[in-house]
Amino acid sequence: MAKGNKIMNEIVALSKRRGFIFQSSEIYGGINALWDMGPLGVEMKKNIKNFWWKYTVQMRSDVEGLDSSILMHPKIWEASGHIENFTDPLVECRNCHKRFRADEIKGNHCPNCGSDQLTEPKMFNLMFKTFIGPVESAENTIYLRPETAQGIYINYQNVMVTTRQKIPFGIAQIGKAFRNEISPGNFIFRSREFEQMEMQYFVHPDEANRWFEYWRKMRWQWYLQLGIDEGKIHWHQHGENELAHYARDAYDIEFDFPFGRKELEGVHNRGDFDLSRHQQYSGKNLEYTDKVTGEKFIPFIIETSGGVDRCMLAILCDAYTVEPEQKDSNKMRTVLKMHPRISPIKVGVFPLVKKDGMPEIAKEIASELRKRFTVFYDEKDSIGRRYRRQDEAGTPFCVTVDGQTLKDNTVTIRERDTLIQVRVKIDEIAPMIDKYIENWERDKGIE
Ligand code: GAP
């Protein structure tokens, strides 16, 4: 684990140095388990979300999108079981007053000071509370959603009616969720504010097992398409006492993070728990009527629930590579070998030197390429240092304007992973980048 800690520290440092992730409220000393996405982080997260949305919604005729509100009617959390069950057992050390999740403590001793003065576990609800309207009273208490899923269940009829979908069909949503975690940590792995990408698929009860298996396969496939190393992801089926209160069956996709094998995403067979409970608590009939057979039933729900931030961390960890700069060289480079479609910057554009009209040509190329790609123009420091900065940002292609450009309008394109450089005409840069990305996907066996 010491090696894992070292790699994690390097990834955290790189994330800050290159502008992927900053600690929230840093100038005030920071605030625990909250993070800000920097210029590269926001692009990378957007690319992950777009990749998921395209695969889950855009490419399918049976899944619709939704963006529901974060603050919702408080009864929703009674119906969902969160008020009663969304709790962790909390213990406090009477000696050092640190608090811990009881299920994470080995033996009877405080992990901080070693004393055996631990209190009895108390159940602690992870939902953040606030008030709606000006009066801070119990009846005005509402919650910041701890998952996006409930916004989907309560809109299932609205979506079905307006889109004329029939069962089986799904609703997908990406959005923020909030949990007052007792033991957050491991960088952005477990934080108190994060984003989820969730899809709820509504099916006939007799078909639930089949669709559960189908969506397990689809989710596995998605991580492969994302370029994640298949050797680093694993299935973990929940045992009887691991199952959440709503789940009949559940599998996690786990990833080998430097700090251990941990959950990336959950696929759940939620049965009719959600719609039955919302029917009971709202008093609205949420039954589905099959127009052909006339059969009425409460649909079962198959859920796929992944974290955007956790996925981002898995990609950063998977992509993080330290290797010799060239074959047989003892100079090392740090490079993020991530899927080019996920890379925050697609193309770095550099003039070899800051004279002879090279910056002007390079700036013109950059502004043309910006119509299609995210571009970073850089003329500072040696060309080697500029390449290394882009390697650390995971930029798949660097275009350099040099002396020859002035003669024949050609530039070099350097590819991040192979370090191969080719010369192309300026107007061939964009098609060449497209081709490179397709080749990258083909080499990885991605459709
Ligand atoms: N609707 C089901 C649900 O929310 P979950 O297993 O509690 O299930 C789903 O959460 C995913 O959300 C997790 O697999 C993880 O990727 C992400 N997630 C959950 N808690 C998180 C946290 N505190 N910080 C970052 N991501 C989190």
Side-chain angles (χ1 to χ4, degrees), residues 92-98 110 115-120:
E92 187 176 331
C93 172
R94 289 194 186 91
N95 185 42
C96 69
H97 300 291
K98 290 248 177 226
C110 169
S115 113
D116 59 0
Q117 304 285 302
L118 297 176
T119 58
E120 282 302 306

Side-chain angles (χ1 to χ4, degrees), residues 33 82 86 146-150 153 177-181 184-185 187-198 200 223 238 244 246 252-253 263-268 270 303-311:
H82 279 81
F86 198 56
E147 61 171 17
T148 65
Q150 300 302 324
Y153 306 142
F178 304 83
R179 297 182 188 181
N180 200 0
E181 300 280 1
F187 197 25
I188 56 170
F189 177 81
R190 180 169 288 117
S191 49
R192 293 190 167 120
E193 175 179 339
F194 54 97
E195 266 183 295
Q196 289 186 314
M197 24 194 194
E198 297 198 301
Q200 315 292 327
Y223 285 103
H238 284 207
Y246 50 75
D252 290 338
I253 297 178
E263 174 186 341
L264 199 50
E265 160 152 0
V267 183
H268 311 127
R270 300 182 64 122
E303 167 181 68
T304 72
S305 175
V308 185
D309 312 77
R310 226 174 250 193
C311 179

Side-chain angles (χ1 to χ4, degrees), residues 378-422:
D378 195 358
E379 56 180 30
K380 196 170 176 287
D381 299 325
S382 72
I383 193 77
R385 291 188 74 162
R386 283 179 264 167
Y387 282 145
R388 281 194 290 282
R389 281 200 287 267
Q390 292 310 310
D391 284 344
E392 284 200 345
T395 306
F397 311 104
C398 289
V399 167
T400 303
V401 170
D402 56 17
Q404 187 144 348
T405 314
L406 309 173
K407 294 183 202 140
D408 63 5
N409 266 333
T410 61
V411 292
T412 61
I413 302 185
R414 170 192 185 262
E415 204 264 334
R416 177 195 67 200
D417 298 352
T418 59
L419 294 176
I420 289 171
Q421 297 200 22
V422 292

Side-chain angles (χ1 to χ4, degrees), residues 64 66 150-167 169-171 202 275 278-279 282-289 291 296-299 301:
E64 305 289 345
L66 182 75
Q150 300 302 324
I152 294 182
Y153 306 142
I154 57 163
N155 276 296
Y156 126 88
Q157 278 184 334
N158 282 337
V159 173
M160 191 167 59
V161 169
T162 51
T163 59
R164 284 184 277 127
Q165 288 281 2
K166 291 186 184 64
I167 272 171
F169 79 99
I171 305 176
F202 301 85
L275 292 183
H278 284 303
Q279 175 166 280
S282 68
K284 296 279 174 331
N285 181 2
L286 296 180
E287 273 179 337
Y288 178 81
T289 308
K291 294 267 173 359
K296 287 183 188 299
F297 59 90
I298 295 281
I301 292 171

